[in-house]
């Protein structure tokens, strides 16, 4: 599946930058073109893989290239004012090669959380290709303003895209971890999952033909539920010494459908679905799902994939579980599970509750601040006259 990526804000730009690096390193080839959008000039200069010709600085007349200061209402405004510059750059994309757009942003900041829904709306109005969102939720201890931003952005963003993939910082942060290493790990996890998910139908190695191809239409149909989606991943190292002489010498290895191989694939898919999802949820609330098993063809069990799909159908309660294999030459066997249209997500409910409380506190503070200032500057100074 071929994607055009638009990274909005600091986090969005960095994530897209990392996705490009992973795509080149693994030769996956699912990224057709990219754009980085920001209101802070310094953030754009920090990107390594998105060229300056594919960068758009918005809000220059209002914020002078210094960012919007975590004000996502201002972020939405400046993006809307300069969205023509972004669309002009999109016009230069090879649209005939693109299966979908993906707008990427951190939902806690200003430019990304405010601008991403604006860009998604405009793309949906102009192009017939699906427009997906990839949003990162801030950690719960990052502060009330970021939680409020994320809740407001989430409500808006999910309505403007065909599907919103979410990544929850809370579920992935490690105790004592630095901000830099945390973002690096987050970006690597996203890159690995998206690389397998969207690269599954783009096999470039000679002789590597999938038994059951996962093409763009399978992914689009899975994501057509709309709403929110989450992605799981699990992998296991392969002992190549036990793969057998025939599989090492032939260019078209014989598929292993032994009991051990079947159980290994089934167990891997279970770990992917029940382990660390990008957004923890009750998988029983899934509307549609997709299973992809990636690795050397000789160790991928077709029977294992079928059993894994049957298990996921039983766990989710939906018959709409698609799946297939992704043959790659590697030392690992990996499984990606896409759960689309999930609606039982405690983290999102908690985010909304905290945001509502933060908004109430802010409004209450605004109501009392005027009176408090008046009492401060006029206390005991009734006889004083102001200058004007």
């Amino acid at each position: 599946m071929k994607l055009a990526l638009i990274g909005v804000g600091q986090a969005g730009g960095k994530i897209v930058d990392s996705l490009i690096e992973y795509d080149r390193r693994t030769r996956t080839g699912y990224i057709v073109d990219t754009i980085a959008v920001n209101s802070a000039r310094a953030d754009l200069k920090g990107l390594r893989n998105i060229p300056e010709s594919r960068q758009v600085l918005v809000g220059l007349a209002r914020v002078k290239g210094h960012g919007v200061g975590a004000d996502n209402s201002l972020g939405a405004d400046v993006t809307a004012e300069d969205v023509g510059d972004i669309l002009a750059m999109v016009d230069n994309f090879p649209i005939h090669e693109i299966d979908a757009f993906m707008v990427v942003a951190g939902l806690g900041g200003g430019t990304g959380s405010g601008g991403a829904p604006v860009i998604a709306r405009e793309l949906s109005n102009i192009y017939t290709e699906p427009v997906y969102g990839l949003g990162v939720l801030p950690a719960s201890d990052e502060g009330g303003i970021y939680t409020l931003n994320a809740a407001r952005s989430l409500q808006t963003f999910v309505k403007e895209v065909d599907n919103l993939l979410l990544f929850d910082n809370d579920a992935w942060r490690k105790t004592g971890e630095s901000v830099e290493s945390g973002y690096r790990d987050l970006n690597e996890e996203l890159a690995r999952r998206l690389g397998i998910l969207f690269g599954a139908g783009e096999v470039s190695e000679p002789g590597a033909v999938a038994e059951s191809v996962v093409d763009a239409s399978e992914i689009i149909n899975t994501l057509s539920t709309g709403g929110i989606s989450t992605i799981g991943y699990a992998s296991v190292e392969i002992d190549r010494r036990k793969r057998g002489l025939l599989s090492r010498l032939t260019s078209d290895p014989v598929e292993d459908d032994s009991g051990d191989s079947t159980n290994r694939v089934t167990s891997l898919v279970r770990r992917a679905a029940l382990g660390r999802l990008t957004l923890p949820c009750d998988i029983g609330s899934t509307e549609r799902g997709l299973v992809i098993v990636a690795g050397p063809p000789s160790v991928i069990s077709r029977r294992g994939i079928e059993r894994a799909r049957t298990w996921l159908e039983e766990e989710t309660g939906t018959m709409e579980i698609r799946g297939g294999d992704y043959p790659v030459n590697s030392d690992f066997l990996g499984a990606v599970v896409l759960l689309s249209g999930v609606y039982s997500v405690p983290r999102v409910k908690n985010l909304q509750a905290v945001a509502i409380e933060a908004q109430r506190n802010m409004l209450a503070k605004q109501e009392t601040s005027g009176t408090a200032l008046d009492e401060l500057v006029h206390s005991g100074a009734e006889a004083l006259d102001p200058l004007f």
Side-chain angles (χ1 to χ4, degrees), residues 9-226:
Q10 183 182 37
K14 285 185 175 181
I15 291 170
V16 170
D17 216 41
S18 296
L19 296 181
I20 296 171
E21 183 178 341
Y22 182 90
D23 190 53
R24 291 173 179 169
R25 186 173 74 242
T26 60
R27 299 180 182 177
T28 306
Y30 75 92
I31 300 176
V32 176
D33 216 328
T34 58
I35 292 176
V37 179
N38 212 313
S39 60
R41 184 181 283 106
D43 291 341
L44 290 174
K45 289 186 178 298
L47 301 175
R48 295 177 297 176
N49 299 302
I50 305 175
E52 189 174 343
S53 62
R54 283 287 186 259
Q55 298 177 9
V56 182
L57 182 64
V58 296
L60 187 59
R62 296 181 64 176
V63 299
K64 314 300 182 185
H66 300 306
V68 297
D71 183 343
N72 61 356
S73 292
L74 180 56
D77 288 344
V78 299
T79 303
E81 290 169 4
D82 293 338
V83 74
D85 295 337
I86 301 167
L87 296 176
M89 198 168 286
V90 174
D91 285 342
N92 294 321
F93 284 1
I95 300 297
H96 62 283
E97 298 180 17
I98 295 169
D99 296 309
F101 295 94
M102 178 169 283
V103 183
V104 184
L107 302 188
T111 306
S113 66
V118 173
I119 296 170
R121 180 186 62 200
E122 296 298 326
L123 291 173
S124 297
N125 288 339
I126 296 173
Y127 297 97
T128 58
E129 288 78 10
V131 178
Y132 302 126
L134 173 59
V136 178
L137 298 179
S140 56
D141 61 357
E142 288 187 33
I145 183 62
Y146 299 104
T147 299
L148 181 56
N149 281 350
R152 295 180 66 201
S153 179
L154 176 59
Q155 276 192 346
T156 312
F157 203 7
V158 75
K159 294 177 182 178
E160 302 297 343
V161 294
D162 292 280
N163 200 293
L164 180 59
L165 303 169
L166 284 182
F167 193 104
D168 180 20
N169 253 335
D170 250 4
W172 290 86
R173 289 186 65 179
K174 300 173 185 175
T175 304
E177 184 179 50
S178 69
V179 173
E180 182 179 356
S181 63
Y183 278 127
R184 185 172 58 247
D185 292 346
L186 179 154
N187 292 345
E188 185 66 22
E189 288 293 341
L190 277 173
R192 185 181 296 113
R193 284 162 166 76
L194 297 180
I196 295 176
L197 175 62
F198 293 114
E202 304 295 334
V203 177
S204 59
E205 297 177 13
V209 179
E211 289 287 331
S212 179
V213 178
V214 178
D215 57 20
S217 63
E218 299 276 27
I219 301 172
I220 291 172
N221 285 335
T222 302
L223 292 172
S224 65
T225 59

Side-chain angles (χ1 to χ4, degrees), residues 138-321:
S140 56
D141 61 357
E142 288 187 33
I145 183 62
Y146 299 104
T147 299
L148 181 56
N149 281 350
R152 295 180 66 201
S153 179
L154 176 59
Q155 276 192 346
T156 312
F157 203 7
V158 75
K159 294 177 182 178
E160 302 297 343
V161 294
D162 292 280
N163 200 293
L164 180 59
L165 303 169
L166 284 182
F167 193 104
D168 180 20
N169 253 335
D170 250 4
W172 290 86
R173 289 186 65 179
K174 300 173 185 175
T175 304
E177 184 179 50
S178 69
V179 173
E180 182 179 356
S181 63
Y183 278 127
R184 185 172 58 247
D185 292 346
L186 179 154
N187 292 345
E188 185 66 22
E189 288 293 341
L190 277 173
R192 185 181 296 113
R193 284 162 166 76
L194 297 180
I196 295 176
L197 175 62
F198 293 114
E202 304 295 334
V203 177
S204 59
E205 297 177 13
V209 179
E211 289 287 331
S212 179
V213 178
V214 178
D215 57 20
S217 63
E218 299 276 27
I219 301 172
I220 291 172
N221 285 335
T222 302
L223 292 172
S224 65
T225 59
I228 293 170
S229 293
T230 181
I231 307 173
Y233 171 78
S235 65
V236 63
E237 189 172 1
I238 300 167
D239 188 344
R240 287 182 175 267
R241 293 173 299 179
K242 296 181 180 180
R243 285 175 55 192
L245 180 63
L246 179 63
S247 67
R248 292 198 303 270
L249 296 180
T250 59
S251 59
D252 188 15
V254 177
E255 178 191 315
D256 181 3
D257 246 342
S258 65
D260 287 346
S261 182
T262 298
N263 291 337
R264 177 168 53 189
V265 169
T266 305
S267 175
L268 204 58
V269 172
R270 288 182 179 180
R271 283 173 50 203
L274 300 176
R276 298 183 77 184
L277 298 169
T278 57
L279 177 71
C281 69
D282 174 7
I283 70 171
S285 67
T286 303
E287 290 189 45
R288 294 182 185 176
L290 177 67
V291 175
I292 299 174
V293 178
S298 60
V299 299
I300 297 178
S301 165
R302 183 174 58 232
R303 187 178 300 132
I305 295 175
E306 290 304 316
R307 286 188 180 180
R309 286 176 58 187
T310 300
W311 171 82
L312 194 57
E313 287 177 359
E314 294 171 352
E315 291 294 310
T316 59
T318 176
M319 298 298 290
E320 294 196 65
I321 303 296

